Amino acid sequence: MTEWVETPLGGLCKFQAGDAFPKEKQGIAAGEYPFIKVSDMNLPGNERFIQRSNNWIQKADASKYRLHPSGSVVFAKIGEALRANRRRVLVRETIIDNNMMSAVPTGDINPSFLLYVLEGIDFNNISRGSALPYLAAGDLNKLIVTIPGKEVQQAIAETLSLLDQKIELNRRMNETLEGMAQAIFRDWFVDFGPVRRKIALQSSAGGKAAGEADWQAIMGGLTPDPARAAQLAALFPAAFGDDGLPVGWKMETIGNLTSELRRGISPKYTVNEGVIVLNQKCVRDGKVNFSLARKHDINARSITGRELKFGDIVVNSTGVGTLGRVAQIWHVDKITIADSHLTVIRADQSKIGLYYLGINLRLLQPEIESMGEGSTGQTELSRKALGEMKIVTPNQPLWKAFDNLVTPLWARAAAADEENRTLAETRDYLLPRLMSGAVRVVPKGEAT
């Protein structure tokens, strides 16, 4: 059986600070090296590995900065971001800004194992400062950690990495599924693709009725089934009205399409038994992250009529930077409410489809983000403004057809989200036990 030994963290890696990021160099979308900031850790695709960056540096300027090698673990070293305890792994040589720090593997440590060593440390317990917490490299270097031999390090890293890889695979699959649904929505209801193709085909045929090949062309090759293509194509008009919309379609206010449009309640938080209460931190990238929710004491304030339902849409409604973020709820297995900084929108399904409204508002997020009112620091998104916002509304058979078409995609994405929650819980359960030796893994080739 392998021995676990105590060693200072500084003997396993080298902590390196980032560089100041000149304003004139920010905002460049392409280059030789990514220059990441703390906010880049939140970009879609960067949940585990830094795959994307909002800023890039040209090769000619790279010598002015410190390059952090592939395999380094990076994290926030100062401020509120430090409290989030997020770690990310670099997949290429990268420059980091001076609000971040990297841990570069050195010595006799498996690089993947180092990530899990660092994830087992709560930075809140070793940070300095109170109002503005920060990490000191000297403190990190002195931390004593217990590690096994390299064979066990590798076995532990492989066990945890398998879970991480499955989570990442599900996340990418969901990106694809959501992208497919949004692409169909854009073609049908933003670019009016089927209407335009129908008009063009009928015009080129001298007004003759469309044939089998035409139906599939009108639907842009969406389905290889001619009968299905004909059914869908028949739902689209073959002309535009004076208002520029396909004939029979109209602009409708969100307020007239919804059965609920209101703010959540001011919660009474509890660390004991309570119902889940979502806040603005839970809403990001079109998703609801339930792990960031808190609990509300229902004995202190009633929640009657405030329970969220499957398909409800939540919109961040307070503050610059977060206001306007939109997400739709695909998972409610426990009583859940929204706090007063979120606006809850519920589709009236006699007037509009769940998926139609959800995807529509997600695509309109940039416009919603610009609707904040009030002075800096007190910006609010009013329920009235949101209710008066108008969206394109096709006839009922068409929005129902769209909802039916994307339902399997959304159901698969919701199932993958649920699987990821289970995988993440398993990983979080195993991480401290594997890293302490309480749960033992057997290296390949070693007898059990």
Side-chain angles (χ1 to χ4, degrees), residues 245-297:
L245 294 175
V247 170
W249 298 17
K250 57 185 177 181
M251 298 296 292
E252 188 64 89
T253 64
I254 291 175
N256 284 337
L257 296 171
T258 53
S259 58
E260 292 273 359
L261 204 165
R262 55 172 169 72
R263 289 286 188 98
I265 68 170
S266 297
K268 296 294 183 183
Y269 292 117
T270 177
V271 294
N272 301 313
E273 288 298 315
V275 301
I276 297 170
V277 54
L278 301 180
N279 57 68
Q280 294 198 117
K281 290 182 180 177
C282 300
V283 181
R284 183 184 290 274
D285 302 324
K287 300 279 190 182
V288 175
N289 185 346
F290 283 83
S291 70
L292 299 177
R294 299 175 69 181
K295 290 182 178 177
H296 165 71
D297 183 355

Side-chain angles (χ1 to χ4, degrees), residues 119-393:
E119 288 198 327
I121 300 170
D122 185 349
F123 284 168
N124 292 291
N125 294 335
I126 58 171
S127 62
R128 299 188 180 196
S130 53
L132 186 64
Y134 65 94
L135 293 172
D139 295 338
L140 290 166
N141 283 326
K142 294 174 186 173
L143 270 180
I144 300 298
V145 295
T146 305
I147 62 169
K150 291 204 75 171
E151 292 77 12
V152 175
Q153 289 180 26
Q154 183 169 346
I156 291 174
E158 286 177 353
T159 299
L160 295 171
S161 292
L162 285 173
L163 293 168
D164 286 335
Q165 288 167 11
K166 178 59 178 169
I167 291 171
E168 176 65 10
L169 187 65
N170 280 343
R171 188 194 63 75
R172 290 185 182 182
M173 181 189 70
N174 278 6
E175 274 189 357
T176 301
L177 293 172
E178 292 169 21
M180 290 167 61
Q182 290 184 4
I184 296 169
F185 185 95
R186 288 180 191 278
D187 183 46
W188 288 18
F189 306 117
V190 177
D191 299 331
F192 309 134
V195 176
R196 297 185 189 282
R197 292 191 286 271
K198 200 173 200 178
I199 293 171
L201 280 167
Q202 290 191 359
S203 176
S204 62
K208 293 181 180 178
E212 181 177 298
D214 294 334
W215 294 124
Q216 291 179 308
I218 289 169
M219 296 315 301
L222 177 68
T223 171
D225 180 354
R228 178 66 175 145
Q231 288 175 349
L232 291 172
L235 299 174
F236 290 88
F240 287 98
D242 294 337
D243 56 3
L245 294 175
V247 170
W249 298 17
K250 57 185 177 181
M251 298 296 292
E252 188 64 89
T253 64
I254 291 175
N256 284 337
L257 296 171
T258 53
S259 58
E260 292 273 359
L261 204 165
R262 55 172 169 72
R263 289 286 188 98
I265 68 170
S266 297
K268 296 294 183 183
Y269 292 117
T270 177
V271 294
N272 301 313
E273 288 298 315
V275 301
I276 297 170
V277 54
L278 301 180
N279 57 68
Q280 294 198 117
K281 290 182 180 177
C282 300
V283 181
R284 183 184 290 274
D285 302 324
K287 300 279 190 182
V288 175
N289 185 346
F290 283 83
S291 70
L292 299 177
R294 299 175 69 181
K295 290 182 178 177
H296 165 71
D297 183 355
I298 58 174
N299 296 315
R301 177 163 293 164
S302 171
I303 62 164
T304 301
R306 298 291 188 158
E307 299 93 338
L308 295 176
K309 296 182 178 180
F310 175 88
D312 281 351
I313 300 158
V314 287
V315 184
N316 283 5
S317 300
T318 303
V320 176
T322 63
L323 184 148
R325 290 179 187 164
V326 176
Q328 196 159 23
I329 295 174
W330 303 123
H331 168 81
V332 186
D333 63 355
K334 296 178 181 176
I335 297 175
T336 304
I337 61 172
D339 79 5
S340 57
H341 298 292
L342 292 174
T343 300
V344 178
I345 299 174
R346 181 171 299 157
D348 180 343
Q349 294 183 63
S350 68
K351 299 177 179 176
I352 203 71
L354 285 180
Y355 301 106
Y356 180 91
L357 186 61
I359 294 173
N360 205 332
L361 293 186
R362 176 80 175 107
L363 293 177
L364 289 171
Q365 180 173 306
E367 184 177 338
I368 296 172
E369 289 174 345
S370 69
M371 291 167 57
E373 300 171 343
S375 58
T376 302
Q378 296 179 321
T379 310
E380 295 281 333
L381 175 63
S382 77
R383 188 178 66 88
K384 181 173 181 291
L386 203 49
E388 291 176 346
M389 186 178 186
K390 291 186 175 182
I391 62 173
V392 172
T393 309

Side-chain angles (χ1 to χ4, degrees), residues 20-161:
F21 196 0
K23 285 189 176 179
E24 64 272 17
K25 296 294 182 183
Q26 298 186 26
I28 299 174
E32 188 73 21
Y33 300 101
F35 197 137
I36 63 167
K37 306 170 76 171
V38 171
S39 58
D40 288 301
M41 292 197 290
N42 296 327
L43 292 176
N46 285 355
E47 289 80 0
R48 198 65 179 168
F49 302 96
I50 297 295
Q51 314 267 10
R52 300 175 56 196
S53 174
N54 283 326
N55 300 280
W56 291 77
I57 293 295
Q58 305 303 323
K59 191 171 185 178
D61 292 326
S63 61
K64 302 173 184 174
Y65 308 100
R66 173 179 289 156
L67 289 172
H68 301 256
S70 173
S72 302
V73 181
V74 295
F75 45 88
K77 71 170 188 178
I78 190 169
E80 281 302 309
L82 179 158
R83 301 186 196 279
N85 267 319
R86 288 167 298 183
R87 319 281 189 268
R88 301 291 187 269
V89 180
L90 300 181
V91 297
R92 57 184 298 169
E93 282 191 305
T94 300
I95 304 164
I96 65 176
D97 88 347
N98 52 7
N99 290 316
M100 302 184 73
M101 185 181 286
S102 75
V104 183
T106 59
D108 202 25
I109 184 84
N110 179 301
S112 298
F113 185 79
L114 176 63
L115 168 66
Y116 299 113
V117 170
L118 293 171
E119 288 198 327
I121 300 170
D122 185 349
F123 284 168
N124 292 291
N125 294 335
I126 58 171
S127 62
R128 299 188 180 196
S130 53
L132 186 64
Y134 65 94
L135 293 172
D139 295 338
L140 290 166
N141 283 326
K142 294 174 186 173
L143 270 180
I144 300 298
V145 295
T146 305
I147 62 169
K150 291 204 75 171
E151 292 77 12
V152 175
Q153 289 180 26
Q154 183 169 346
I156 291 174
E158 286 177 353
T159 299
L160 295 171
S161 292

